[in-house]
Protein backbone atom coordinates (compact mmCIF):
# COMPACT_ATOMS: atom_id res chain seq x y z
CA UNK A 1 0.00 0.00 0.00
CA UNK A 2 1.38 3.43 -0.94
CA UNK A 3 2.19 5.96 1.74
CA UNK A 4 -0.13 8.97 1.77
CA UNK A 5 1.55 12.14 0.51
CA UNK A 6 2.67 14.58 3.16
CA UNK A 7 0.98 17.91 2.38
CA UNK A 8 3.93 19.72 3.93
CA UNK A 9 6.44 18.33 1.40
CA UNK A 10 6.84 18.73 -2.33
CA UNK A 11 8.88 16.94 -4.94
CA UNK A 12 10.90 19.08 -7.30
CA UNK A 13 12.38 17.65 -10.48
CA UNK A 14 15.31 19.58 -11.93
CA UNK A 15 18.22 18.81 -14.23
CA UNK A 16 21.27 17.44 -12.38
CA UNK A 17 23.46 20.20 -13.83
CA UNK A 18 21.07 22.82 -12.47
CA UNK A 19 21.16 21.11 -9.08
CA UNK A 20 24.96 21.13 -9.00
CA UNK A 21 25.11 24.82 -9.96
CA UNK A 22 22.51 25.68 -7.31
CA UNK A 23 24.36 23.62 -4.70
CA UNK A 24 27.62 25.43 -5.42
CA UNK A 25 25.93 28.84 -5.32
CA UNK A 26 24.09 28.11 -2.09
CA UNK A 27 27.21 26.64 -0.51
CA UNK A 28 29.09 29.87 -1.21
CA UNK A 29 26.38 32.38 -0.38
CA UNK A 30 24.16 30.79 2.26
CA UNK A 31 26.30 28.27 4.09
CA UNK A 32 29.35 30.53 4.47
CA UNK A 33 28.99 33.07 7.28
CA UNK A 34 25.33 32.15 7.81
CA UNK A 35 24.18 33.87 4.64
CA UNK A 36 25.75 37.26 5.31
CA UNK A 37 26.54 37.60 1.59
CA UNK A 38 22.80 37.83 0.94
CA UNK A 39 21.81 40.32 3.63
CA UNK A 40 21.24 43.09 1.06
CA UNK A 41 18.92 40.83 -0.93
CA UNK A 42 16.69 39.15 1.63
CA UNK A 43 13.37 40.63 2.60
CA UNK A 44 12.66 38.43 5.61
CA UNK A 45 14.99 36.48 7.90
CA UNK A 46 13.05 33.27 7.15
CA UNK A 47 14.51 33.26 3.64
CA UNK A 48 17.97 32.21 4.83
CA UNK A 49 16.76 29.08 6.69
CA UNK A 50 14.61 28.25 3.66
CA UNK A 51 17.73 28.42 1.49
CA UNK A 52 19.59 26.27 4.04
CA UNK A 53 16.82 23.68 3.70
CA UNK A 54 17.15 23.77 -0.10
CA UNK A 55 20.92 23.35 0.22
CA UNK A 56 20.45 20.39 2.58
CA UNK A 57 17.95 18.81 0.19
CA UNK A 58 20.39 19.14 -2.70
CA UNK A 59 23.22 17.78 -0.58
CA UNK A 60 21.12 14.73 0.32
CA UNK A 61 20.64 13.71 -3.32
CA UNK A 62 23.84 14.83 -5.04
CA UNK A 63 27.02 12.76 -5.11
CA UNK A 64 29.09 15.48 -6.81
CA UNK A 65 29.97 17.50 -3.66
CA UNK A 66 31.89 14.52 -2.27
CA UNK A 67 33.74 13.76 -5.50
CA UNK A 68 37.49 14.34 -5.73
CA UNK A 69 36.95 16.23 -8.99
CA UNK A 70 34.16 18.42 -7.62
CA UNK A 71 35.51 21.64 -9.15
CA UNK A 72 35.64 20.04 -12.60
CA UNK A 73 32.08 18.79 -12.18
CA UNK A 74 30.88 22.27 -11.21
CA UNK A 75 32.53 23.74 -14.31
CA UNK A 76 30.91 21.07 -16.49
CA UNK A 77 27.52 21.67 -14.84
CA UNK A 78 27.80 25.43 -15.41
CA UNK A 79 28.63 24.84 -19.07
CA UNK A 80 25.65 22.49 -19.44
CA UNK A 81 23.30 25.04 -17.85
CA UNK A 82 24.60 27.81 -20.11
CA UNK A 83 24.22 25.59 -23.18
CA UNK A 84 20.68 24.63 -22.25
CA UNK A 85 19.32 27.92 -20.92
CA UNK A 86 21.76 30.64 -21.91
CA UNK A 87 23.19 33.14 -19.50
CA UNK A 88 21.53 35.92 -17.57
CA UNK A 89 24.10 38.42 -18.76
CA UNK A 90 24.83 37.01 -22.23
CA UNK A 91 22.96 39.74 -24.09
CA UNK A 92 24.79 42.63 -22.44
CA UNK A 93 27.17 44.63 -24.58
CA UNK A 94 30.77 44.76 -23.45
Amino acid sequence: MAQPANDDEITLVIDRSVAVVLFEFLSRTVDDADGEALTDFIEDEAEIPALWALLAGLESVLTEPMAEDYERRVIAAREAVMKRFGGAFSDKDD
Side-chain angles (χ1 to χ4, degrees), residues 22-71:
L22 281 173
F23 177 85
E24 174 60 21
F25 171 75
L26 292 171
S27 294
R28 280 193 336 270
T29 59
V30 177
D31 205 24
D32 293 345
D34 292 333
E36 285 184 28
L38 297 176
T39 55
D40 290 340
F41 307 103
I42 61 169
E43 188 172 303
D44 186 272
E45 65 181 317
E47 293 167 353
I48 296 297
L51 290 171
W52 286 334
L54 178 58
L55 177 61
L58 291 169
E59 187 173 33
S60 74
V61 296
L62 291 173
T63 56
E64 287 82 354
M66 301 307 286
E68 287 185 29
D69 61 344
Y70 174 68
E71 290 86 12

